[in-house]
Amino acid sequence: MIMLAGGSRIAYHLRECDHCFFGLGLGFYRTRIIQLSFASPPNPSSSTTVNPATHHLLRRSKNTSSPPCHRIQSKSPGEFPTLSSCFSQQEEDHELPSEGLSPVSGGIVALGKFDALHIGHRELAIQAAKVGPPFLLSFVGMAEILGWELRAPIVAKCDRKRILSSWAPYCRNIAPAEFQMEFSSVRHLNPRQFVEKLSKELGVRGVVVGENYRFGYRAAGDALKLVRLCEEYGMGAYVIESVMDKNHYARNMNASDSKERGQVSSTRVRRALAVGDMRYVSELLGRKHRLILMAKDQEGLTYNRSRVSIPKSCLLNLAPKEGLYEKCSIFIAEEKLVPCKVVIDTTSIHVEMDEVDSCIIVGNQDFHFFRIEFGD
């Protein structure tokens, strides 16, 4: 049985800023869906080993599966702490918080930027699930406050819950949930104040971060500081090594970015989509890229027995570059998966289905969703 770790809402916009925290969120639609996707799914049965000798961090091997999770306890100044098992690994059932408590109370919260929900993000959730109910902590309202230009999300807001549910086999059969915080409520918090908020206001039992994680106003805190502060407030802290990208793009991407060390990132996903390399996108995401479009009424739609064209204005997330994509699939009537090819031009997404009479657009509805998956 798959259990949800708590209620979730999500806000999508996410970018990096030296003067603040980072965030993301999600919302859901209620309507009929037709969907498409691109890539081969990961193997939940894979496993890796831990190298605790390296910088005394909880390390993961360079492949995409996960090591055992341990609490990090602080040691002497200037050192990353040694590893010791601390949270009970015998907890088989994770109860949801009782009424009146924070939705993340008693949970293990992954901190980071979750635009793409890629394999690095999944790794954080895997580690969190090993010691408690897993959550991804998101911030909303950042774009409005910081004046950022909005970008199309990599994952459609209405599709995030599906992806998180697909992580359940990796996360002790628990689907991670996303939790929103208003960015305005944490923007000016220093590292100690932020950890105090997690502990006292939200009731978080532990946090999981990547080794390069920074937090607090003007990114004043790093992973080591987080470990020490969490110990002071009686919380577990888990620092894991970045999931690295071995693809041939790795050597040339973001060479001028001081934070770029070859790790899997949402930026890499965006760049792979920009050149139309769907196999690489699938490797980074650990799944096929799913494009979702929403058309109001049937305005702008053109279709016949085996083809439908949808204006790009209907896109809910980021599409690959213009061109022809073979080995794609479209979901018809919620359940039926139909092979197709996709042509993307400057104005529209054209879907040509292998099966005649597959294109069924049901009328008398306010909205129509199209879900497309892209093959390698």
Side-chain angles (χ1 to χ4, degrees):
M1 179 180 65
I2 295 176
M3 298 167 49
L4 292 179
S8 64
R9 296 181 302 157
I10 304 170
Y12 77 83
H13 186 69
L14 193 92
R15 289 179 61 182
E16 188 169 321
C17 172
D18 289 334
H19 306 292
C20 59
F21 288 84
F22 310 94
L24 149 87
L26 167 76
F28 303 105
Y29 292 93
R30 294 188 161 201
T31 184
R32 177 175 179 274
I33 295 181
I34 302 177
Q35 83 185 10
L36 314 173
S37 68
F38 319 84
S40 49
N43 178 11
S45 62
S46 61
S47 61
T48 62
T49 56
V50 182
N51 177 13
T54 308
H55 301 300
H56 302 293
L57 280 172
L58 174 62
R59 295 289 184 182
R60 71 178 308 286
S61 64
K62 302 303 183 190
N63 61 27
T64 62
S65 38
S66 63
C69 185
H70 297 273
R71 182 184 182 183
I72 298 180
Q73 296 178 329
S74 62
K75 196 179 178 184
S76 56
E79 277 185 50
F80 273 100
T82 58
L83 293 171
S84 66
S85 231
C86 102
F87 280 111
S88 169
Q89 301 294 315
Q90 305 303 317
E91 296 180 66
E92 296 299 327
D93 297 312
H94 304 306
E95 295 184 1
L96 298 182
S98 60
E99 190 172 344
L101 296 178
S102 159
V104 296
S105 179
I108 308 299
V109 174
L111 301 173
K113 297 174 290 181
F114 302 109
D115 183 16
L117 293 178
H118 54 58
I119 56 175
H121 298 148
R122 188 180 70 198
E123 186 67 23
L124 293 174
I126 289 171
Q127 302 306 328
K130 290 183 177 181
V131 290
F135 292 87
L136 306 183
L137 180 60
S138 307
F139 301 104
V140 296
M142 297 178 65
E144 294 81 359
I145 291 175
L146 299 175
W148 288 339
E149 180 182 356
L150 293 178
R151 297 188 297 178
I154 294 170
V155 178
K157 294 189 291 182
C158 57
D159 198 33
R160 294 178 68 87
K161 186 176 180 180
R162 176 192 66 86
I163 294 170
L164 294 177
S165 295
S166 75
W167 290 1
Y170 303 87
C171 299
R172 301 182 70 209
N173 216 31
I174 302 172
E178 293 197 287
F179 177 73
Q180 286 185 334
M181 292 180 66
E182 289 294 334
F183 174 64
S184 58
S185 72
V186 299
R187 181 184 185 186
H188 296 295
L189 298 184
N190 62 36
R192 176 176 293 277
Q193 291 170 330
F194 179 64
V195 173
E196 182 175 329
K197 186 180 186 71
L198 292 178
S199 174
K200 295 186 176 180
E201 182 176 325
L202 300 181
V204 169
R205 189 158 64 93
V207 298
V208 180
V209 298
E211 59 188 334
N212 300 318
Y213 180 73
R214 301 198 67 88
F215 67 107
Y217 185 62
R218 297 187 180 275
D222 58 11
L224 178 59
K225 190 174 188 68
L226 180 67
V227 168
R228 292 174 177 165
L229 287 171
C230 284
E231 185 176 23
E232 286 185 37
Y233 285 90
M235 297 162 54
Y238 304 80
V239 177
I240 67 171
E241 190 175 54
S242 300
V243 178
M244 305 306 291
D245 175 17
K246 294 184 178 181
N247 192 281
H248 61 281
Y249 287 108
R251 284 175 288 180
N252 301 320
M253 190 171 292
N254 281 353
S256 62
D257 186 349
S258 62
K259 298 180 182 180
E260 173 61 39
R261 296 177 176 85
Q263 68 271 24
V264 172
S265 67
S266 297
T267 296
R268 286 173 183 266
V269 177
R270 287 183 179 276
R271 294 194 176 190
L273 286 169
V275 297
D277 189 339
M278 301 315 296
R279 174 169 296 186
Y280 184 34
V281 171
S282 298
E283 291 173 1
L284 295 171
L285 296 179
R287 65 181 184 276
K288 297 180 181 181
H289 180 58
R290 182 170 293 187
L291 192 63
I292 298 188
L293 303 95
M294 180 182 71
K296 185 175 181 180
D297 299 321
Q298 294 185 24
E299 184 176 356
L301 296 180
T302 59
Y303 54 91
N304 56 32
R305 295 173 64 191
S306 61
R307 177 186 172 97
V308 60
S309 296
I310 312 130
K312 275 188 170 179
S313 58
C314 297
L315 284 167
L316 297 185
N317 61 318
L318 187 61
K321 70 172 290 187
E322 295 171 12
L324 169 63
Y325 296 89
E326 305 277 1
K327 299 180 181 178
C328 298
S329 303
I330 184 167
F331 289 80
I332 301 292
E334 302 288 347
E335 301 290 339
K336 186 177 181 181
L337 184 64
V338 177
C340 66
K341 63 181 178 181
V342 175
V343 177
I344 301 177
D345 62 26
T346 56
T347 61
S348 301
I349 311 291
H350 308 281
V351 182
E352 298 181 7
M353 283 156 273
D354 294 351
E355 299 180 17
V356 177
D357 293 330
S358 291
C359 187
I360 302 173
I361 305 295
V362 179
N364 300 320
Q365 297 196 35
D366 292 334
F367 297 97
H368 301 283
F369 273 73
F370 298 86
R371 301 175 294 169
I372 304 169
E373 288 190 346
F374 292 79
D376 295 340

